[in-house]
Every structure is written in structure tokens, then in C-alpha cells.
Amino acid sequence: MHRVMIHPASYDSCRDAVDRAFEIFPQEIAQKKVVIKPNVLRTSTAEEHIVTHPPLLRAVVEKVEEMSPAEIVVGDNPGLFNYGDNENSFEKTGLMDAAKGYYRNLGNITQHVAFNPDFMPEVGISKEILDADIIISLPKFKTHGLTVMTGAIKNSYGILPGAQKARLHQIAGTPERFHDVIVEVFRLRVPDFFIMDAVVGMEGNGPASPELREIGLILAADNAVAMDGVVARMMGLDPARLRFLQKAKAMGLGDFDSQMIQIDGEMRILSDFKLPPLGGEAIFGNPEVQELMKIRTLVRPQADPELCTACGDCMVTV
């Protein structure tokens, strides 16, 4: 049986929801390395609600500070439009200030790990992610033109630095296979705890839609499949129709069946919530997006011969 918290919140009061989340899902943080990963899609303003909102990140950072961790790291690898532009993305959104000095560029040091050979034999992951004792994922309540919704599972796609994200988009070839890719990435290092910003959500053709929705909630869970199943239902979706949730459940990563989820709070279905097409046409059928992904995969790092140690880390971005 999984448990999902749904707690009323505003950005001024989200610390109350964070405290409640840690009560329901206790984390052994003392003397541990904690990585906090918000959703940082691209450079934007906080008012666009494209990224995890700064007050929620600050509330989580301050809560973790009080629990005597050995180390706190805050970071993400921005998506297709701004990958490699980590600092600017954090600064413009206000997340750099909310990180309270714990920000670290997750793209600086990577480590090769085996991947599903149907896509790529190996990928590079941010070493900070692999070295973490506890990972706290802070997804945003949003739609997505390829996966219909983006939540706890999709937020882990940001553990991949550089052009790998665009390359895997291309290799997947179809929306269905891309659903499989995001689950394969997610299971490389499953986060321990999820706190979702649903104070202001996004509907329409996300993940950067101008259509915003006042929801007034913070969600929390220690299982991503359960959390995303609840979010899907709130959006008016049957989670069984989402391939990435089907795959995650089949792989034993959790369950989205409502009978297997205990709700702490009140779950309500959002009326007339606007969803992108279920088939992923909004991105895979968009020639501009496809061309952008092609360009991103052609980017190559330029090594400084005076500094290069031949470690090979930059090679995982191509």
C-alpha cells in the first residue's frame, strides 16, 4: 500500500505542507548527503510557473538544514532549450537564491553507467546524484506534449547532463518508446522522496504552456508511481492509459491502482483540465522541436588542451 499526501498550500504557507510531508514520510537525514532536485526546464521567470517555484525549494532546503545533514546539494540539468546553461536558468527563475548557497552544477562531473542497450549501451549521470544518500525530487504539476503529464517520474530525466536528453529523444523515435526511456532513466537512481509543487499548475500543451491553473496544493509521496497516478486522476486521466506508468508498474517500481493508494488529505478531480493529445503528437509531430533536438545532438564539447586530463566525462554529452 502506497501513501500520497495532498495538502492545501500557498507559496507563503508551503513550509507547513513540507513539515507535514516529513512527518508522514520520515527521512533519515542526519549526517547524510542530501541532493534536492527541483524541476528546472529552462530559463524563465518564476511567474511563468515552468519550474518548481522558489518558495517550495527554499522551504525544503530550510527543513533539511534543521535535520543536520552532512551535505546539501541543490541542482538540476535544464532541458532541451537551456541544457548546459544551469547557472543562468537557476538565477533567472529565482531558484539560485532559494537554494541558499547549496546550488551545484550537476553537469560538471558525470559518471558512466550501464543503460538499456535497446537505446544506448551506457549513459552519463551527474555524479552528485550517484553519490547522494538521499534524493528529494521536487516536480511540478504540469502537462507535457509528449508524455501527457510530467511529474515525479519525468523529473528524473534531469539526472542526465548535456545532449543525451535530445539524443535519447531521437533514438526513441516514437512517443511510446520515449515513455519507456524515461522509466529506464528513472530507475537508474530512484529518488527517496517526492514533494510536488501543485500550488499553481500548468495545463494545455506543456511543459512550457502559458495556460496556468490555480490549484493550491502541495503533494508528497515516497513512491513516484503512486504520486503520478494520483496526479493523472486529478487531471481527469486514467493512469492506466499512460505508457510510462504502465511500464513503471510492470517493472515493480510502484502501483497507480487507487485501491493500492492511501490518500492523506482530499483528492479532487480538476474540472475541464486541458490536456495535450494522448499520442504525443504535440512534440513528435512538431517539426521545429524535432529540428531543435537534431541541432542539440550535433553540439560537441571543445576541450582545452591545457586543462584536459583525458577523463572522458565530456564524451557522455554527445
Side-chain angles (χ1 to χ4, degrees):
M1 177 71 73
H2 301 305
R3 193 173 182 184
V4 176
M5 181 198 86
I6 302 176
H7 197 287
S10 68
Y11 289 125
D12 291 333
S13 68
C14 60
R15 176 58 194 267
D16 292 339
V18 169
D19 287 342
R20 176 61 180 156
F22 275 83
E23 288 177 9
I24 297 173
F25 307 101
Q27 303 296 310
E28 296 293 333
I29 281 175
Q31 302 308 306
K32 300 290 182 61
K33 177 173 181 174
V34 181
V35 173
I36 303 171
K37 187 203 170 297
N39 180 332
V40 186
L41 176 71
R42 63 169 172 81
T43 300
S44 61
T45 65
E47 292 71 29
E48 292 176 87
H49 293 282
I50 290 172
V51 305
T52 306
H53 211 56
L56 177 59
L57 173 60
R58 179 177 288 272
V60 174
V61 168
E62 291 178 347
K63 178 67 175 179
V64 172
E65 279 182 319
E66 296 171 2
M67 302 175 75
S68 304
E71 183 179 3
I72 299 175
V73 173
V74 175
D76 191 13
N77 290 297
L80 189 63
F81 291 88
N82 288 107
Y83 80 71
D85 197 10
N86 293 31
E87 284 78 12
N88 192 44
S89 296
F90 269 77
E91 289 282 3
K92 291 291 180 66
T93 56
L95 290 168
M96 185 69 81
D97 182 63
K100 298 188 64 179
Y102 298 111
Y103 165 81
R104 199 166 300 167
N105 188 326
L106 297 188
N108 281 348
I109 304 177
T110 58
Q111 183 171 321
H112 300 252
V113 298
F115 196 60
N116 186 328
D118 288 344
F119 302 105
M120 293 170 65
E122 62 179 26
V123 293
I125 299 182
S126 298
K127 195 169 185 302
E128 300 284 6
I129 294 290
L130 293 175
D131 290 346
D133 296 305
I134 294 176
I135 297 177
I136 302 175
S137 176
L138 307 183
K140 182 82 176 174
F141 190 108
K142 296 196 300 182
T143 53
H144 194 285
L146 182 54
T147 55
V148 186
M149 58 160 282
T150 178
I153 292 175
K154 181 66 167 58
N155 194 38
S156 282
Y157 203 54
I159 69 174
L160 301 177
Q164 295 174 105
K165 291 189 281 292
R167 181 68 180 140
L168 281 169
H169 270 281
Q170 285 191 317
I171 290 171
T174 66
E176 292 79 15
R177 276 172 56 85
F178 184 68
H179 280 244
D180 295 345
V181 164
I182 65 170
V183 179
E184 293 288 351
V185 172
F186 172 77
R187 73 178 182 135
L188 291 173
R189 173 53 171 98
V190 176
D192 303 278
F193 189 24
F194 306 86
I195 303 177
M196 177 177 282
D197 173 8
V199 177
V200 176
M202 179 183 293
E203 54 187 350
N205 187 23
S209 167
E211 299 183 81
L212 303 178
R213 184 76 169 251
E214 295 282 346
I215 301 172
L217 299 171
I218 297 289
L219 279 67
D222 59 6
N223 184 273
V225 181
M227 172 178 273
D228 284 354
V230 168
V231 170
R233 288 189 174 89
M234 291 175 67
M235 291 181 174
L237 272 168
D238 177 0
R241 298 187 66 188
L242 298 178
R243 183 180 173 95
F244 74 90
L245 283 178
Q246 294 171 357
K247 182 175 179 66
K249 179 178 178 179
M251 296 177 75
L253 295 171
D255 202 329
F256 52 75
D257 191 316
S258 60
Q259 295 181 339
M260 298 298 295
I261 300 172
Q262 176 185 341
I263 301 293
D264 188 287
E266 178 186 357
M267 193 198 84
R268 65 180 189 275
I269 297 175
L270 302 171
S271 61
D272 302 317
F273 194 85
K274 298 177 185 176
L275 293 166
L278 286 177
E281 299 89 345
I283 286 182
F284 261 96
N286 186 314
E288 289 81 10
V289 173
Q290 293 303 310
E291 180 63 22
L292 179 60
M293 285 193 285
K294 179 181 178 181
I295 291 170
R296 292 307 196 205
T297 61
L298 297 176
V299 173
R300 295 293 184 270
Q302 298 297 314
D304 184 334
E306 295 184 3
L307 299 176
C308 180
T309 63
C311 68
D313 278 343
C314 68
M315 295 176 65
V316 300
T317 68
V318 300

Coordinates of all heavy atoms in Angstrom, one line a residue, residues 11-91:
Y11 N 2.1 29.7 -1.7 CA 3.6 29.8 -1.7 C 4.0 30.5 -0.4 O 5.2 30.2 0.1 CB 4.1 30.5 -2.9 CG 3.9 29.7 -4.1 CD1 3.2 30.1 -5.3 CD2 4.5 28.4 -4.2 CE1 3.1 29.4 -6.4 CE2 4.3 27.6 -5.3 CZ 3.6 28.1 -6.4 OH 3.5 27.3 -7.5
D12 N 3.2 31.2 0.3 CA 3.5 31.8 1.5 C 3.5 30.8 2.7 O 4.2 31.0 3.7 CB 2.6 33.0 1.9 CG 2.8 34.2 0.9 OD1 3.9 34.3 0.4 OD2 1.9 35.0 0.7
S13 N 2.7 29.8 2.5 CA 2.5 28.8 3.6 C 3.0 27.4 3.3 O 2.7 26.5 4.0 CB 1.0 28.7 4.0 OG 0.2 28.1 2.9
C14 N 3.8 27.3 2.3 CA 4.1 25.9 1.9 C 5.1 25.2 2.9 O 5.1 24.0 2.9 CB 4.8 25.9 0.5 SG 6.3 26.9 0.3
R15 N 5.7 26.0 3.8 CA 6.5 25.3 4.8 C 5.7 24.4 5.7 O 6.1 23.3 6.1 CB 7.2 26.3 5.6 CG 8.1 25.8 6.8 CD 9.1 24.7 6.3 NE 9.7 24.0 7.4 CZ 10.8 24.3 8.1 NH1 11.5 25.4 7.8 NH2 11.2 23.5 9.1
D16 N 4.4 24.8 5.9 CA 3.5 23.9 6.7 C 3.3 22.6 6.0 O 3.3 21.5 6.7 CB 2.2 24.6 6.9 CG 2.3 25.8 7.8 OD1 3.2 25.9 8.6 OD2 1.3 26.6 7.8
A17 N 3.1 22.6 4.7 CA 3.0 21.4 3.9 C 4.2 20.5 3.9 O 4.2 19.3 4.0 CB 2.5 21.7 2.5
V18 N 5.4 21.2 3.8 CA 6.7 20.5 3.8 C 6.9 19.8 5.2 O 7.3 18.6 5.3 CB 7.8 21.5 3.5 CG1 9.2 20.8 3.8 CG2 7.7 21.9 2.1
D19 N 6.5 20.5 6.3 CA 6.7 19.9 7.6 C 5.8 18.6 7.7 O 6.2 17.6 8.2 CB 6.3 20.9 8.7 CG 7.3 22.0 8.9 OD1 8.5 21.8 8.5 OD2 7.0 23.0 9.5
R20 N 4.6 18.8 7.2 CA 3.6 17.6 7.2 C 4.2 16.5 6.4 O 4.1 15.3 6.8 CB 2.2 18.1 6.8 CG 1.2 16.9 6.7 CD 0.9 16.3 8.0 NE -0.1 15.3 7.9 CZ -0.2 14.3 8.8 NH1 0.6 14.2 9.8 NH2 -1.1 13.4 8.6
A21 N 4.7 16.8 5.3 CA 5.3 15.7 4.4 C 6.4 15.0 5.1 O 6.4 13.7 5.0 CB 5.8 16.4 3.1
F22 N 7.2 15.6 5.8 CA 8.3 15.0 6.5 C 7.8 14.2 7.7 O 8.4 13.2 8.1 CB 9.4 16.0 6.9 CG 10.4 16.3 5.9 CD1 10.1 17.2 4.9 CD2 11.6 15.6 5.9 CE1 11.1 17.5 3.9 CE2 12.6 15.9 4.9 CZ 12.3 16.8 3.9
E23 N 6.7 14.6 8.3 CA 6.1 13.8 9.3 C 5.5 12.5 8.8 O 5.7 11.4 9.4 CB 4.9 14.6 10.0 CG 5.3 15.7 10.8 CD 4.1 16.5 11.3 OE1 3.0 16.0 11.2 OE2 4.3 17.6 11.9
I24 N 4.9 12.5 7.6 CA 4.3 11.3 7.0 C 5.3 10.4 6.5 O 5.2 9.2 6.6 CB 3.3 11.7 5.9 CG1 2.1 12.5 6.5 CG2 2.7 10.5 5.2 CD1 1.2 13.1 5.5
F25 N 6.3 11.0 5.9 CA 7.4 10.2 5.2 C 8.7 10.6 5.9 O 9.5 11.3 5.3 CB 7.4 10.5 3.7 CG 6.1 10.3 3.0 CD1 5.3 11.4 2.7 CD2 5.6 9.1 2.7 CE1 4.1 11.3 2.1 CE2 4.4 8.9 2.1 CZ 3.6 10.0 1.8
P26 N 9.0 10.0 7.0 CA 10.3 10.4 7.7 C 11.5 10.0 6.9 O 11.6 9.0 6.3 CB 10.2 9.6 9.0 CG 8.8 9.2 9.2 CD 8.2 9.1 7.8
Q27 N 12.5 10.9 6.9 CA 13.7 10.7 6.2 C 14.9 10.7 7.2 O 15.0 11.7 8.0 CB 13.9 11.8 5.1 CG 12.8 11.9 4.1 CD 12.7 10.6 3.3 OE1 13.6 10.1 2.7 NE2 11.4 10.1 3.2
E28 N 15.8 9.8 7.1 CA 17.0 9.7 8.0 C 18.1 10.6 7.4 O 18.9 10.1 6.6 CB 17.5 8.3 8.1 CG 16.5 7.3 8.8 CD 16.3 7.7 10.3 OE1 17.2 8.3 10.9 OE2 15.2 7.4 10.8
I29 N 18.0 11.9 7.7 CA 18.9 12.8 7.0 C 20.2 13.2 7.8 O 21.2 13.5 7.2 CB 18.1 14.1 6.7 CG1 17.2 13.8 5.5 CG2 18.9 15.3 6.6 CD1 16.2 14.9 5.2
A30 N 20.2 13.0 9.1 CA 21.3 13.3 9.9 C 22.6 12.7 9.4 O 22.7 11.5 9.1 CB 21.1 12.9 11.4
Q31 N 23.6 13.5 9.1 CA 24.9 13.1 8.6 C 24.9 12.4 7.3 O 25.8 11.6 7.0 CB 25.6 12.2 9.7 CG 25.8 12.9 11.0 CD 26.5 14.3 10.9 OE1 27.6 14.4 10.3 NE2 25.9 15.3 11.5
K32 N 23.9 12.7 6.5 CA 23.8 12.1 5.1 C 24.0 13.2 4.1 O 23.7 14.4 4.3 CB 22.4 11.5 4.9 CG 22.0 10.4 5.9 CD 22.8 9.2 5.6 CE 22.5 8.0 6.6 NZ 21.1 7.6 6.4
K33 N 24.4 12.8 2.9 CA 24.4 13.7 1.8 C 23.1 13.7 1.1 O 22.6 12.7 0.7 CB 25.5 13.3 0.8 CG 25.5 14.2 -0.5 CD 26.7 13.8 -1.4 CE 26.7 14.8 -2.6 NZ 27.9 14.6 -3.5
V34 N 22.5 14.9 1.0 CA 21.1 15.1 0.5 C 21.2 15.9 -0.8 O 21.7 17.0 -0.7 CB 20.2 15.8 1.5 CG1 18.8 15.9 1.0 CG2 20.2 15.0 2.8
V35 N 20.7 15.4 -1.8 CA 20.5 16.1 -3.1 C 19.1 16.5 -3.3 O 18.2 15.6 -3.2 CB 21.1 15.3 -4.3 CG1 20.7 16.1 -5.6 CG2 22.6 15.1 -4.2
I36 N 18.8 17.8 -3.5 CA 17.4 18.3 -3.7 C 17.4 18.7 -5.2 O 18.1 19.6 -5.6 CB 17.1 19.4 -2.8 CG1 17.3 19.0 -1.3 CG2 15.7 20.0 -3.0 CD1 17.2 20.2 -0.3
K37 N 16.5 18.1 -5.9 CA 16.4 18.3 -7.4 C 15.0 18.9 -7.8 O 14.0 18.2 -7.9 CB 16.6 17.0 -8.1 CG 16.7 17.2 -9.6 CD 16.3 16.0 -10.4 CE 16.2 16.3 -11.9 NZ 15.1 17.3 -12.2
P38 N 15.0 20.2 -8.0 CA 13.8 20.8 -8.5 C 13.6 20.5 -10.0 O 14.5 19.9 -10.6 CB 14.0 22.3 -8.3 CG 15.5 22.5 -8.3 CD 16.1 21.2 -7.7
N39 N 12.5 20.9 -10.5 CA 12.3 20.8 -12.0 C 12.7 22.1 -12.6 O 12.0 23.1 -12.4 CB 10.8 20.5 -12.3 CG 10.5 20.3 -13.7 OD1 11.1 20.9 -14.6 ND2 9.4 19.6 -14.0
V40 N 13.8 22.1 -13.3 CA 14.3 23.4 -14.0 C 14.3 23.1 -15.5 O 15.3 22.7 -16.0 CB 15.7 23.8 -13.4 CG1 16.1 25.2 -14.0 CG2 15.7 23.8 -11.9
L41 N 13.2 23.3 -16.1 CA 13.1 23.1 -17.5 C 14.0 24.0 -18.4 O 14.7 23.5 -19.2 CB 11.6 23.2 -18.0 CG 11.4 23.0 -19.5 CD1 11.5 21.6 -19.9 CD2 10.0 23.5 -19.9
R42 N 13.9 25.3 -18.1 CA 14.7 26.2 -18.9 C 14.7 27.6 -18.2 O 14.0 27.8 -17.2 CB 14.1 26.4 -20.3 CG 12.7 26.9 -20.4 CD 12.4 27.3 -21.8 NE 11.0 27.6 -22.1 CZ 10.5 28.8 -21.9 NH1 11.2 29.8 -21.3 NH2 9.2 29.1 -22.1
T43 N 15.4 28.5 -18.8 CA 15.4 29.9 -18.3 C 14.0 30.5 -18.4 O 13.4 30.4 -19.4 CB 16.4 30.7 -19.1 OG1 17.7 30.2 -18.9 CG2 16.4 32.2 -18.5
S44 N 13.5 31.0 -17.3 CA 12.2 31.6 -17.3 C 12.0 32.4 -16.0 O 12.9 32.4 -15.2 CB 11.1 30.5 -17.3 OG 11.2 29.6 -16.2
T45 N 10.9 33.1 -15.9 CA 10.6 33.8 -14.6 C 9.8 32.9 -13.7 O 9.1 32.0 -14.2 CB 9.9 35.1 -14.9 OG1 8.6 34.8 -15.4 CG2 10.7 36.0 -15.9
A46 N 9.8 33.1 -12.4 CA 9.1 32.3 -11.5 C 7.6 32.4 -11.8 O 6.8 31.5 -11.7 CB 9.3 32.8 -10.1
E47 N 7.1 33.6 -12.3 CA 5.7 33.8 -12.6 C 5.2 33.0 -13.8 O 4.0 32.9 -13.9 CB 5.5 35.3 -12.9 CG 5.7 36.3 -11.7 CD 7.1 36.4 -11.3 OE1 8.0 36.3 -12.2 OE2 7.4 36.6 -10.1
E48 N 6.1 32.5 -14.6 CA 5.6 31.6 -15.7 C 5.3 30.2 -15.2 O 4.6 29.5 -15.9 CB 6.7 31.5 -16.8 CG 7.0 32.8 -17.5 CD 8.1 32.7 -18.5 OE1 7.9 32.2 -19.6 OE2 9.3 33.0 -18.1
H49 N 5.7 29.9 -14.0 CA 5.4 28.6 -13.4 C 5.8 27.4 -14.3 O 5.2 26.3 -14.3 CB 4.0 28.5 -13.0 CG 3.6 29.4 -11.9 ND1 3.9 29.2 -10.6 CD2 3.0 30.7 -12.0 CE1 3.5 30.2 -9.8 NE2 2.9 31.1 -10.6
I50 N 6.9 27.6 -15.0 CA 7.5 26.5 -15.8 C 8.4 25.6 -14.9 O 8.6 24.4 -15.2 CB 8.3 27.1 -17.0 CG1 7.3 27.7 -18.0 CG2 9.2 26.0 -17.7 CD1 8.0 28.5 -19.1
V51 N 8.9 26.1 -13.8 CA 9.8 25.4 -13.0 C 9.2 25.3 -11.6 O 8.2 26.0 -11.2 CB 11.2 26.1 -12.8 CG1 11.8 26.3 -14.2 CG2 11.1 27.4 -12.1
T52 N 9.8 24.4 -10.7 CA 9.4 24.4 -9.3 C 9.5 25.8 -8.7 O 10.5 26.4 -8.9 CB 10.3 23.4 -8.6 OG1 10.3 22.1 -9.2 CG2 9.9 23.2 -7.1
H53 N 8.5 26.2 -8.0 CA 8.5 27.6 -7.6 C 9.5 27.8 -6.4 O 9.6 26.9 -5.5 CB 7.1 28.0 -7.1 CG 6.8 29.4 -7.3 ND1 6.9 30.0 -8.5 CD2 6.4 30.4 -6.4 CE1 6.5 31.3 -8.4 NE2 6.3 31.6 -7.2
P54 N 10.3 28.9 -6.4 CA 11.3 29.1 -5.4 C 10.9 28.9 -4.0 O 11.7 28.4 -3.2 CB 11.8 30.5 -5.8 CG 11.6 30.7 -7.2 CD 10.3 29.9 -7.5
P55 N 9.7 29.4 -3.6 CA 9.4 29.3 -2.1 C 9.3 27.8 -1.7 O 9.7 27.5 -0.5 CB 8.0 29.9 -2.0 CG 8.0 30.9 -3.1 CD 8.7 30.3 -4.2
L56 N 8.9 26.9 -2.6 CA 8.9 25.5 -2.2 C 10.3 25.0 -2.0 O 10.6 24.3 -1.0 CB 8.1 24.7 -3.2 CG 8.1 23.2 -2.9 CD1 7.5 22.9 -1.5 CD2 7.4 22.4 -4.0
L57 N 11.2 25.3 -2.9 CA 12.6 24.9 -2.8 C 13.2 25.4 -1.5 O 13.8 24.6 -0.8 CB 13.4 25.3 -4.0 CG 14.9 25.1 -3.9 CD1 15.2 23.6 -3.7 CD2 15.7 25.7 -5.1
R58 N 13.0 26.7 -1.2 CA 13.5 27.3 0.0 C 13.0 26.5 1.2 O 13.7 26.3 2.2 CB 13.2 28.7 0.1 CG 13.7 29.4 1.3 CD 13.4 30.9 1.3 NE 14.3 31.6 0.3 CZ 15.5 32.1 0.6 NH1 16.0 31.9 1.8 NH2 16.2 32.7 -0.3
A59 N 11.7 26.2 1.2 CA 11.1 25.6 2.4 C 11.7 24.2 2.6 O 12.0 23.8 3.8 CB 9.6 25.4 2.2
V60 N 12.0 23.5 1.5 CA 12.6 22.1 1.7 C 14.0 22.3 2.1 O 14.5 21.5 3.0 CB 12.5 21.4 0.3 CG1 13.2 20.0 0.4 CG2 11.0 21.1 0.0
V61 N 14.8 23.2 1.5 CA 16.2 23.4 2.0 C 16.2 23.7 3.4 O 17.0 23.2 4.2 CB 16.8 24.5 1.1 CG1 18.1 24.9 1.7 CG2 17.0 24.1 -0.3
E62 N 15.4 24.6 3.9 CA 15.4 25.0 5.3 C 15.0 23.9 6.2 O 15.6 23.7 7.3 CB 14.5 26.3 5.5 CG 15.1 27.5 4.9 CD 14.3 28.7 5.0 OE1 13.1 28.6 5.4 OE2 14.8 29.9 4.7
K63 N 14.1 23.1 5.8 CA 13.7 21.9 6.6 C 14.9 20.9 6.7 O 15.2 20.4 7.8 CB 12.5 21.2 5.9 CG 12.0 19.9 6.7 CD 11.5 20.2 8.0 CE 10.9 19.0 8.7 NZ 10.4 19.3 10.0
V64 N 15.5 20.7 5.6 CA 16.7 19.7 5.6 C 17.8 20.3 6.4 O 18.5 19.6 7.2 CB 17.1 19.4 4.1 CG1 18.4 18.6 4.1 CG2 16.0 18.7 3.4
E65 N 18.0 21.6 6.4 CA 19.1 22.2 7.2 C 18.9 21.9 8.6 O 19.9 21.7 9.4 CB 19.1 23.7 7.0 CG 19.7 24.3 5.8 CD 19.7 25.8 5.7 OE1 18.6 26.4 6.0 OE2 20.7 26.4 5.3
E66 N 17.7 21.9 9.1 CA 17.4 21.7 10.5 C 17.6 20.3 11.0 O 17.6 20.0 12.2 CB 15.9 22.1 10.8 CG 15.6 23.5 10.6 CD 14.1 23.8 10.6 OE1 13.3 22.9 10.9 OE2 13.7 25.0 10.4
M67 N 17.8 19.3 10.0 CA 17.9 17.9 10.3 C 19.4 17.4 10.3 O 19.7 16.3 10.3 CB 17.1 17.1 9.3 CG 15.6 17.5 9.4 SD 14.6 16.7 8.1 CE 14.4 15.1 8.9
S68 N 20.3 18.4 10.3 CA 21.8 18.1 10.5 C 22.4 17.2 9.4 O 23.0 16.2 9.7 CB 22.1 17.5 11.9 OG 21.6 18.4 12.9
P69 N 22.2 17.5 8.1 CA 22.8 16.7 7.1 C 24.3 16.9 7.1 O 24.8 17.9 7.5 CB 22.1 17.2 5.8 CG 21.8 18.6 6.1 CD 21.4 18.7 7.6
A70 N 25.0 15.9 6.5 CA 26.4 16.1 6.3 C 26.7 17.1 5.1 O 27.6 17.9 5.2 CB 27.1 14.8 5.9
E71 N 25.8 17.1 4.1 CA 25.9 17.9 3.0 C 24.6 18.1 2.3 O 23.8 17.2 2.2 CB 26.9 17.3 2.0 CG 27.3 18.1 0.8 CD 28.3 17.4 -0.1 OE1 28.7 16.3 0.2 OE2 28.7 18.0 -1.1
I72 N 24.4 19.3 1.7 CA 23.2 19.6 0.9 C 23.7 20.0 -0.4 O 24.5 20.9 -0.6 CB 22.3 20.7 1.5 CG1 21.8 20.3 2.9 CG2 21.1 21.0 0.6 CD1 21.0 21.4 3.6
V73 N 23.1 19.5 -1.5 CA 23.3 19.9 -2.9 C 22.0 20.2 -3.5 O 21.1 19.3 -3.4 CB 24.1 18.8 -3.6 CG1 24.2 19.2 -5.1 CG2 25.5 18.5 -3.1
V74 N 21.9 21.3 -4.2 CA 20.7 21.6 -4.9 C 21.1 21.8 -6.4 O 22.0 22.5 -6.7 CB 20.0 23.0 -4.4 CG1 18.9 23.3 -5.3 CG2 19.6 22.8 -3.0
G75 N 20.4 21.1 -7.3 CA 20.7 21.2 -8.7 C 19.8 20.5 -9.6 O 19.0 19.7 -9.2
D76 N 20.0 20.8 -10.9 CA 19.3 20.1 -12.0 C 20.0 20.3 -13.2 O 21.0 21.1 -13.3 CB 17.8 20.6 -12.1 CG 16.9 19.8 -13.0 OD1 17.3 18.6 -13.3 OD2 15.8 20.2 -13.4
N77 N 19.7 19.6 -14.3 CA 20.2 19.8 -15.6 C 19.1 20.3 -16.5 O 18.2 19.5 -16.8 CB 20.8 18.5 -16.2 CG 22.1 18.1 -15.5 OD1 23.1 18.8 -15.5 ND2 22.1 16.9 -14.8
P78 N 19.1 21.5 -16.9 CA 17.9 22.1 -17.7 C 17.7 21.3 -18.9 O 18.6 20.5 -19.4 CB 18.4 23.5 -18.0 CG 19.3 23.9 -16.8 CD 20.0 22.6 -16.5
G79 N 16.5 21.4 -19.5 CA 16.1 20.6 -20.6 C 16.6 21.0 -21.9 O 17.7 21.7 -22.1
L80 N 15.9 20.7 -23.0 CA 16.3 20.8 -24.4 C 16.8 22.3 -24.7 O 17.8 22.5 -25.4 CB 15.2 20.4 -25.3 CG 15.5 20.3 -26.8 CD1 16.5 19.2 -27.0 CD2 14.2 20.0 -27.5
F81 N 16.1 23.3 -24.2 CA 16.3 24.6 -24.6 C 17.5 25.2 -24.0 O 18.2 26.1 -24.5 CB 15.1 25.5 -24.4 CG 13.9 25.2 -25.3 CD1 13.0 24.2 -24.9 CD2 13.8 25.8 -26.5 CE1 12.0 23.9 -25.7 CE2 12.7 25.5 -27.3 CZ 11.8 24.5 -26.9
N82 N 17.8 24.9 -22.7 CA 18.9 25.5 -22.0 C 19.9 24.6 -21.3 O 20.5 24.9 -20.4 CB 18.3 26.4 -20.8 CG 17.6 27.6 -21.4 OD1 16.4 27.7 -21.4 ND2 18.4 28.6 -21.8
Y83 N 20.0 23.3 -21.9 CA 20.9 22.4 -21.2 C 22.3 23.0 -21.3 O 22.7 23.7 -22.3 CB 20.9 21.0 -21.8 CG 21.6 20.8 -23.1 CD1 23.0 20.8 -23.2 CD2 20.9 20.6 -24.3 CE1 23.7 20.5 -24.3 CE2 21.6 20.3 -25.5 CZ 23.0 20.3 -25.5 OH 23.7 20.1 -26.7
G84 N 23.1 22.8 -20.2 CA 24.4 23.4 -20.1 C 24.4 24.8 -19.6 O 25.4 25.4 -19.3
D85 N 23.2 25.4 -19.5 CA 23.1 26.8 -19.0 C 22.5 26.8 -17.6 O 21.6 27.5 -17.3 CB 22.2 27.6 -20.0 CG 22.4 29.1 -19.8 OD1 23.3 29.5 -19.1 OD2 21.6 29.9 -20.4
N86 N 23.1 26.0 -16.8 CA 22.5 25.7 -15.5 C 22.4 27.0 -14.6 O 21.3 27.3 -14.0 CB 23.3 24.7 -14.7 CG 23.2 23.3 -15.4 OD1 23.1 23.2 -16.6 ND2 23.3 22.3 -14.6
E87 N 23.5 27.7 -14.5 CA 23.6 28.8 -13.6 C 22.5 29.9 -14.0 O 21.8 30.4 -13.2 CB 25.0 29.4 -13.5 CG 26.0 28.6 -12.7 CD 26.5 27.4 -13.4 OE1 26.3 27.3 -14.7 OE2 27.1 26.6 -12.8
N88 N 22.5 30.2 -15.3 CA 21.6 31.2 -15.8 C 20.1 30.8 -15.5 O 19.3 31.6 -15.1 CB 21.8 31.5 -17.2 CG 21.1 32.7 -17.7 OD1 21.1 33.8 -17.1 ND2 20.4 32.6 -18.9
S89 N 19.8 29.5 -15.7 CA 18.5 29.0 -15.5 C 18.1 29.2 -14.1 O 16.9 29.5 -13.7 CB 18.3 27.6 -16.0 OG 18.6 27.4 -17.3
F90 N 19.0 28.8 -13.1 CA 18.7 29.0 -11.7 C 18.6 30.4 -11.3 O 17.7 30.8 -10.5 CB 19.8 28.3 -10.9 CG 19.4 26.8 -10.6 CD1 19.6 25.8 -11.5 CD2 19.0 26.4 -9.3 CE1 19.3 24.5 -11.3 CE2 18.7 25.1 -9.0 CZ 18.8 24.2 -10.0
E91 N 19.4 31.3 -11.9 CA 19.4 32.7 -11.5 C 18.1 33.4 -11.9 O 17.4 34.0 -11.1 CB 20.6 33.4 -12.1 CG 21.9 33.1 -11.5 CD 22.1 33.8 -10.2 OE1 21.2 34.5 -9.7 OE2 23.2 33.7 -9.6

